[in-house]
Amino acid sequence: MGIHNLIRKAVRASTLARYGIVGYRSIPGFLSALEAIELYRLAQSLPRNATVVEIGSWKGKSTFCLAKGLGSGRVYAIDPFDASGDADSALVYEANK
């Protein structure tokens, strides 16, 4: 890994810590550090008491970042997934619905 990549990685880690969203890493999902930071910033730019609706939230990784950035207001997370096309996910879905 080159020095530039190490610096970028350190800056991302520092930004995650500064925004208080390091915890997003412990939530299963497919969200990069840059995406987490941008979702936080986007939510932070909304007016007080704004409402955010996220469709397709799966286990809440991006929802966590949106809620942390929002500060005040409400976040509604909706995931219409029913596992009808994925046999492996169907077991997890049935166990947790």
Side-chain angles (χ1 to χ4, degrees):
M1 182 179 289
I3 188 71
H4 295 292
N5 286 336
L6 287 172
I7 292 170
R8 278 189 221 109
K9 193 172 183 177
V11 168
R12 283 185 214 127
S14 171
T15 303
L16 290 170
R18 186 171 67 247
Y19 291 160
I21 56 173
V22 173
Y24 98 99
R25 289 181 172 158
S26 66
I27 303 168
F30 308 99
L31 191 68
S32 73
L34 288 176
E35 291 167 328
I37 291 164
E38 286 307 310
L39 285 172
Y40 177 93
R41 287 179 179 163
L42 177 65
Q44 193 178 42
S45 72
L46 296 173
R48 277 186 69 69
N49 300 316
T51 298
V52 173
V53 178
E54 179 185 24
I55 299 173
S57 55
W58 194 40
K59 294 194 175 187
K61 191 168 198 144
S62 54
T63 309
F64 176 84
C65 299
L66 289 167
K68 285 287 201 172
L70 189 57
S72 68
R74 292 184 182 258
V75 177
Y76 294 94
I78 302 164
D79 199 325
F81 180 74
D82 68 0
S84 60
D86 184 355
D88 293 335
S89 293
L91 296 173
V92 174
Y93 174 76
E94 287 300 320
N96 295 296
K97 71 176 185 177

